[in-house]
Amino acid sequence: MEKVKIELQDISKSYYSETTVTQALRKISLSFAEHEFVAITGESGSGKSTLLNIIGGMDNFDDGEMFVDGQPTFQYDEQDWEEYRRNKIGYVFQDYSLVGHYTALANVMSALLIMGYEQERAEETAMNYLAQVGLHGFETHRASELSSGQKQRLSIARALAKDTGIIVADEPTGNLDSDTGDQIVSLLRDLSRERLVIMVTHNYDQAEAYVTRKIRLHDGRVVSDVSVNQEASGQDTQTAERETEEAKEKLSEELKKAGSSVRMRSEKEEKKRQNKVAAYFAGMNRRTQRGRAFLFTFFLFVVSTVSFLFIGELFQHADDTLTKEYSTSVFKKEDRERLVVKREDGKEITQEDIEKFNSLSNVVMADSCDYANDINYYMEEGEDYKYIYGIQKGVMGNEIKSVSFLNEKRFMLSTDCIAKEDLAEGRLPETRNEIVLYSADKKDLEKEILFYFQSRNSWGPNEYYCKEMTVVGLLKEETEQVYFSKELCNMLSLGMDYGEYRLYTQYDKWYGDYKLKREYIPVIGDDLEKDEIRISYKNEQTGPLGKVLFHFDACDRNKVRTGETKEQDAVVVEDFHEGTENILEFSEEFFYQYCPKDRGSIQASVYLTSYAKVDSVIRKLERMGYGAQSTYRVGVTDYVEELVNERMTIIGISIFGLVAILLAEVLILRSLMKIRVKDYFVLKFIGMRMHLIRKISYYEILAYCLAAIVVTVIIMWILRIAGVSIIGEMMWYYSFGAYLVFVVYNFVVSVLTVASFNHLLKGRLNA
Ligand code: ADP
């Protein structure tokens, strides 16, 4: 007696619509045993498909009971039915239900992978099944490219691959010509020697020669159930048996091996394997549908590019400093990229310090003469300055010039900011009155140029110093900037933190004291000697030439007087020099008595590649033991309403934009993904668990998302290097944090899209 596999007891099934009730099955009782090849026939609408669907676990029933291997199914939940479909039933359908864009091999492999096979073994086993149904040589053909008969063979190979005891076939020959149909029925007959095959057909004539049992339905009832061909089935199976014996032996060996490997896996290994399976299917989608892969990636690329720009804008406008007005009262030079840096010990900036600053990333240059960086220089008459009343002759034969300064945009930089390699000609400045600048004309070397200097914030608004400078070197790169010797820079900024220089004049014998005590700005007069000094002729109150008393009050670095004073007789040699009346010229010897020659600046200027790097460089400097501040931030005062509004608008638009593209991706990409629903339906139908199907979409879309992110970043870098200024400026704000936000944003949006698609998919697949 053959083993009963499926038994139906009084099964009834009705379909309900708003207006009608259709009773598709009425109290069907049937039992099916191993090795049967059953044909279910009957006219259209008699209930054949409904019956098959119930046996296949794809449809439920209203009444009665179905036993599987002797066990009742009344307590089965959705998961049990899923397992039943996966483990007990192989399906063959009229429309083949193949994944058209997968290869024949991949279609069969998918069933094996779902069952837990390792990839390599799945491939080998799938090859054997394909050979068994006569598709040897067609492994790498796409399913959609096969003939109808081959498609049905392929779907049978896939059903076989599941190695189930039951195969249900719904009109498997419905789309085939009669010869091909015959071959398929014959193939099913062969398979029934090892399992139970139940086939619905409305073309019984074709099946007649092969089936072992014929069940006829009419109006939802069994009207006949007869055994046929019993002897025939035994006869010609023998040939088939011989033909496939070898293949089968091999196959069962394979299955044993594969089966043991399926069971032995730990939970962790199984999870790993499932991830691999999901990645395999995602890769298959990518490889077999390159057009779609490109479409998805392109869409994600658009999203990532737009989000890159919006996120860049947000980072760029995170700091509200840029919406404030700059006041030149502290740092005359308005420069967003400048930091002032001091040593923690308050000592002078050394060459070593400058080298350390220069070695930092995002530092363009460092100048130890920070104070001089706020001193204006004027060199071109007519451009930088002009003489208001022309040049007139003074009483003493001197020239009287009333200078008016036109362009206050030029500020001193010292030779710290350049190196020998930057010169095309000549050498770096060595003494006070030497400079280098850019000129294409070599004749400019050795040229003498008259310079005016102005240090508004420390000398007062009207003072200036004037001196002729010699060009000793020409720069390679074109620039407006002139570089001065450190000696000159330090000399001009001396008054700022070292002490107060006074001259006591007009000695009153009666009182025994000087009538006039006045503060001056000390500079060196090249031709003066020893105790000689020179003040401007304009200074009418100085009195006659001759002996005066020089008085010095020392200050500390914070301009607080230390109490240390020095006095010395001095001789005014001539009451005239260029520059304004508060400029006091000393002989070099005299000057350096009050200020050691090797004394440098205690504060350096460090220039950055971009304002975006201010915070990170300050942090780095602080870690290195320096104190640093942005001169721009120190200088800003009140908000400028217009700039504040502009900033708020940009932030608003960027946030809105990021939300909008999130929604756009979820809606648009999700609907593009709907073209996959059919494929996933097939995968589910051959037993793939929902969570694995969900994973495939994650793997696939996140891979495209990663590709889109990489392409976006590469393109942005190319644009930056190509000199697209908006991108270049924004890229400075792309620190690690900004890239992180960008990457996380894109992945989150993609994850949300896939989650939303999977939600939709669940609804579709369960419907
Ligand atoms: P057959 O496969 O023999 O053509 P079916 O099993 O498909 O018959 O259908 C049996 C009866 O149930 C028919 O009257 C059919 O119209 C009805 N039926 C089948 N499926 C549905 C359904 N999903 N909703 C409503 N009625 C259905």
Side-chain angles (χ1 to χ4, degrees), residues 321-362:
T321 311
L322 303 181
T323 63
K324 291 179 183 170
E325 200 163 13
Y326 186 81
S327 150
T328 56
S329 64
V330 185
F331 294 97
K332 178 87 195 321
K333 181 183 192 174
E334 179 179 346
D335 190 334
R336 291 180 183 178
E337 280 85 43
R338 177 179 166 201
L339 302 180
V340 284
V341 184
K342 283 187 176 182
R343 290 166 59 110
E344 241 169 21
D345 58 15
K347 291 205 175 122
E348 286 159 21
I349 301 289
T350 62
Q351 195 52 39
E352 206 179 308
D353 294 321
I354 294 293
E355 273 157 27
K356 274 194 208 166
F357 302 154
N358 280 327
S359 71
L360 290 177
S361 54
N362 290 310

Side-chain angles (χ1 to χ4, degrees), residues 13-17 20 22-25 41-53 59 170-171 200 217 219-220:
K13 167 82 184 171
S14 298
Y15 291 105
Y16 300 90
S17 72
T20 55
T22 313
Q23 196 160 13
L25 295 179
T41 66
E43 66 273 29
S44 177
S46 57
K48 303 184 294 290
S49 296
T50 308
L51 177 61
L52 197 73
N53 287 346
D59 211 343
D170 194 353
E171 303 270 11
V200 162
L217 295 186
D219 198 17

Side-chain angles (χ1 to χ4, degrees), residues 677-724:
V677 171
K678 217 178 98 225
D679 301 345
Y680 293 145
F681 194 85
V682 171
L683 292 178
K684 182 184 175 200
F685 160 75
I686 61 171
M688 188 179 276
R689 288 190 172 88
M690 234 3 246
H691 76 94
L692 199 55
I693 294 179
R694 280 190 215 116
K695 253 187 201 168
I696 296 174
S697 299
Y698 280 113
Y699 270 83
E700 194 183 355
I701 296 299
L702 292 182
Y704 300 148
C705 178
L706 183 67
I709 286 173
V710 170
V711 172
T712 301
V713 172
I714 290 173
I715 287 181
M716 291 299 162
W717 271 92
I718 290 173
L719 291 178
R720 177 190 200 170
I721 291 163
V724 178

Side-chain angles (χ1 to χ4, degrees), residues 167-264:
I167 287 181
V168 297
D170 194 353
E171 303 270 11
T173 60
N175 284 337
L176 308 177
D177 62 58
S178 68
D179 280 353
T180 321
D182 278 356
Q183 289 167 17
I184 294 297
V185 178
S186 158
L187 180 60
L188 289 172
R189 192 269 322 270
D190 289 346
L191 303 178
S192 72
R193 288 184 301 110
E194 296 242 310
R195 31 181 98 62
L196 165 63
V197 177
I198 306 173
M199 173 176 77
V200 162
T201 178
H202 66 269
N203 184 2
Y204 179 68
D205 291 349
Q206 187 176 47
E208 195 171 13
Y210 304 100
V211 295
T212 63
R213 183 174 169 190
K214 177 188 178 190
I215 296 171
R216 219 169 85 77
L217 295 186
H218 176 74
D219 198 17
R221 286 196 182 84
V222 177
V223 290
S224 81
D225 180 359
V226 290
S227 289
V228 288
N229 289 327
Q230 284 304 359
E231 57 309 331
S233 95
Q235 271 171 13
D236 56 357
T237 42
Q238 280 171 2
T239 7
E241 220 164 336
R242 269 197 306 278
E243 276 168 17
T244 52
E245 198 144 16
E246 227 171 274
K248 287 239 172 83
E249 250 168 46
K250 207 169 151 198
L251 199 57
S252 67
E253 242 170 68
E254 293 284 339
L255 290 175
K256 258 182 231 153
K257 275 193 247 167
S260 63
S261 72
V262 170
R263 277 186 295 276
M264 295 285 281

Side-chain angles (χ1 to χ4, degrees), residues 559-629:
K559 280 212 103 173
V560 178
R561 286 196 202 176
T562 58
E564 182 200 340
T565 61
K566 268 188 189 173
E567 280 187 350
Q568 169 176 357
D569 288 333
V571 179
V572 179
V573 294
E574 190 192 318
D575 63 347
F576 167 78
H577 68 73
E578 280 219 61
T580 47
E581 57 186 65
N582 284 330
I583 304 286
L584 181 63
E585 285 187 359
F586 291 87
S587 74
E588 194 167 339
E589 190 188 328
F590 202 149
F591 185 89
Y592 286 123
Q593 270 176 39
Y594 294 92
C595 152
K597 193 169 184 180
D598 57 1
R599 180 189 162 277
S601 160
I602 55 152
Q603 192 164 292
S605 282
V606 171
Y607 293 89
L608 310 183
T609 49
S610 162
Y611 178 72
K613 302 298 172 189
V614 162
D615 289 304
S616 78
V617 176
I618 287 180
R619 274 197 301 275
K620 267 189 234 162
L621 286 167
E622 280 170 355
R623 277 201 296 275
M624 287 161 65
Y626 296 95
Q629 232 177 352

Side-chain angles (χ1 to χ4, degrees), residues 29 42 67 79 142 166-167 210 284 335 382 403 411 434 458 480 563 666 732 739:
S29 293
F67 295 88
Q79 205 178 335
R142 279 171 181 251
I166 305 167
I167 287 181
Y210 304 100
M284 187 73 78
D335 190 334
V403 192
F411 292 91
E434 294 178 339
S458 67
E480 290 268 287
V666 170
W732 286 118
Y739 276 112

